[in-house]
Amino acid sequence: MSSFTTPLRVEPIDGKFWKILETFEYHVGDLDSGFLVRVPKGYTTDFATVPRFLWNIVPPWGTYGKACVVHDYLLDNGHQIIKADKVGERLSTVTRKKVDKIFLEAMEVLEVNYVLRYAMYAAVRVYSWYETKIK
């Protein structure tokens, strides 16, 4: 099973953004897949990008926090994941749909409630569709 192999350590920057204090990793698919997302120290995130009026229902931070950071990082960095093998590490670009699937997978690893997990996944898929229509 996929996994987070390092803790997420953050500090607040302001009322909305947080800075990553230590690099952390998420292994896509399973620990031995060779595909991983490495979020570097210094990266900033807002966790879940949720409109403020919904914060009582889905706050920006919850059990899904690490998954949100991974998703944000992939979107901000050209959908690039790391492929690590005996030769070394190289970047591999994935589709937006795959980025969203990684988000869903990471939420499952974090044991986010099924209904919430799929609601958040649906929200990022709808936003992805909307984003392509306005460009």
Side-chain angles (χ1 to χ4, degrees):
M1 173 167 234
S2 46
S3 66
F4 290 93
T5 56
T6 50
L8 174 59
R9 300 193 195 292
V10 296
E11 73 177 5
I13 296 172
D14 56 26
K16 183 175 180 179
F17 291 96
W18 297 75
K19 181 168 96 175
I20 306 302
L21 297 176
E22 295 176 17
T23 298
F24 86 103
E25 295 181 349
Y26 174 71
H27 290 259
V28 179
D30 65 60
L31 195 56
D32 299 322
S33 73
F35 289 99
L36 65 110
V37 178
R38 184 176 293 136
V39 180
K41 175 182 176 179
Y43 177 71
T44 59
T45 182
D46 67 349
F47 291 106
T49 308
V50 177
R52 191 170 191 83
F53 72 92
L54 292 175
W55 283 11
N56 286 334
I57 301 166
V58 181
W61 173 259
T63 55
Y64 41 81
K66 283 183 169 183
C68 293
V69 174
V70 166
H71 190 255
D72 284 355
Y73 181 75
L74 288 171
L75 292 179
D76 289 344
N77 289 281
H79 306 184
Q80 294 188 326
I81 63 175
I82 296 170
K83 172 61 176 158
D85 55 28
K86 292 177 185 174
V87 178
E89 292 183 352
R90 61 189 178 283
L91 294 177
S92 179
T93 303
V94 296
T95 64
R96 169 63 193 256
K97 186 174 185 176
K98 178 64 176 174
V99 168
D100 294 347
K101 283 284 194 182
I102 291 169
F103 176 55
L104 178 63
E105 175 189 278
M107 286 191 292
E108 184 174 0
V109 168
L110 295 167
E111 299 179 352
V112 175
N113 171 284
Y114 179 87
V115 173
L116 179 58
R117 179 169 72 227
Y118 277 91
M120 292 180 76
Y121 174 70
V124 298
R125 293 304 302 145
V126 167
Y127 184 76
S128 174
W129 173 84
Y130 173 75
E131 197 174 44
T132 61
K133 295 298 178 193
I134 62 170
K135 285 187 178 180

